[in-house]
Amino acid sequence: MWEAYLRRGLSRRSFLKGCVALTSLMGLSTDMVSKVVEAAETKPLPVVIWLHGHECTGCDEAFIRSASPLASDLVLTNIALEYDHLLSAAAGEPFEHHLEATIQKYWGQYILAVEGAVSTSDNGIYCMSGGKPFVDTLQRVAKGAAAIIAYGTCAVSGGIQAAKPNPTGSGGVSHYVGTKQVINVPGCPPIPEVMTGVVMHVALFGKLPMLDSENRPRQFYGNRIHDTCYRRPFFDAGMFADRYDDAGAKAGWCLYRLGCRGPETYNSCGNLRWYQGMSYPIQSGAACIGCSNAHFWDEGGMSFSERLPKYGPLGDIDTIGVAAAVATTAGVAIHGAASVIQRQKREEEEAKEAGGK
Ligand code: FSX
Ligand code: SF4
Ligand code: F3S
């Protein structure tokens, strides 16, 4: 990486600043900066092959909007991106030959990034690339990969392609790469900085980040949207918008009754937000549709605007809302009664005092 900075005429200072930014992006403590600098100085640029399956290309569109680091910096100085349908200038047969040459030259060393689902019905003919079923290309490239990253809910669990009745037989990457472990980075699409953070972690340390039970990097998928939501105080107080244009919605109340999936969705939207921290769905006034959840399109046969019947161990929302409202009302009533009693006592004492004089 350091050599790539030098080639671009960038200073040592900007290299070190880049390393500090990468360290925080990867969710590591500042103690790790020296390790990141060392890795960035000594490790060869990791070769990345980026395949696109059955999808809308929104994941790459998100990736190129990464601000910290800038996607252009990542592609030009931090990784050697040898093949990517969307970002490569090359196309056609020479491009496909380049893929084969890269696989052979870097067998066992390259990082494979995949976005999009794997379609298998009718021998995979519903998703073809370079004249071949995508599933065949994926399996061939995966065999020689040092690490595999599934970017986006489609690559993780099939996404919209796998929504019922799933006519193309689509599913997630991990089912088609044998016993190789896949790092799952869900979201439709994932947050840009999460995408760059994960690939840089693998690139610099040569190992997987800490993963949870669904093989998602813990530093980015350790919290529910609900845990970091700035509308949470309204949820706790039982104050919910019932329509997108009612007074509650305009006042920024909780969107749970409008179908918000925040209580069951693990992602970093509430912390990192999108596009240089500008906003995220809930901040824009829309309920979270749980886009980083497997099979979120089908979600128990519910529409996106239908509210979850219950969440977590606490049970039914109505009970929570009513309990919160009752507690609040009771609190107000008790406070009011106590104030009246105190006032009466004070008046009695004042009357006594006045009488005694
Ligand atoms: Fe899926 Fe990504 Fe959603 Fe789209 O590549 S996760 S449909 S944003 O593009 O795969
Ligand atoms: Fe935020 Fe949705 Fe939770 Fe309400 S239900 S606090 S809007 S995440
Ligand atoms: Fe997706 Fe919900 Fe974040 S819809 S973008 S996980 S707020």
Side-chain angles (χ1 to χ4, degrees), residues 26 148-153 155-157 174 181-188 190 194 197-198 201-202 208-225 227 261-268 290-296:
M26 291 184 285
I148 304 174
I149 307 173
Y151 278 135
T153 303
V156 171
S157 50
S174 63
Q181 186 163 39
V182 175
I183 307 171
N184 286 331
V185 183
C188 186
V194 170
V198 171
H201 192 289
V202 178
L208 310 186
M210 290 246 286
L211 303 177
D212 67 10
S213 59
E214 293 182 26
N215 292 332
R216 300 172 297 195
R218 273 200 207 162
Q219 74 260 41
F220 299 118
Y221 295 90
N223 288 313
R224 297 174 307 167
I225 299 295
D227 298 326
R261 304 289 189 254
E264 60 166 29
T265 304
Y266 288 82
N267 206 339
S268 290
C291 77
S292 52
N293 294 335
H295 313 299
F296 74 102

Side-chain angles (χ1 to χ4, degrees), residues 309-323:
K310 60 181 175 186
Y311 90 99
L314 293 180
D316 193 289
I317 180 64
D318 286 326
T319 322
I320 298 163
V322 170

Side-chain angles (χ1 to χ4, degrees), residues 52 54-60 115-117 151-155 159-161 187-190 297:
H52 290 239
H54 220 188
E55 45 130 3
C56 79
T57 316
C59 300
D60 235 353
E115 58 178 90
Y151 278 135
T153 303
C154 300
I160 188 169
Q161 289 71 219
C188 186
W297 292 98

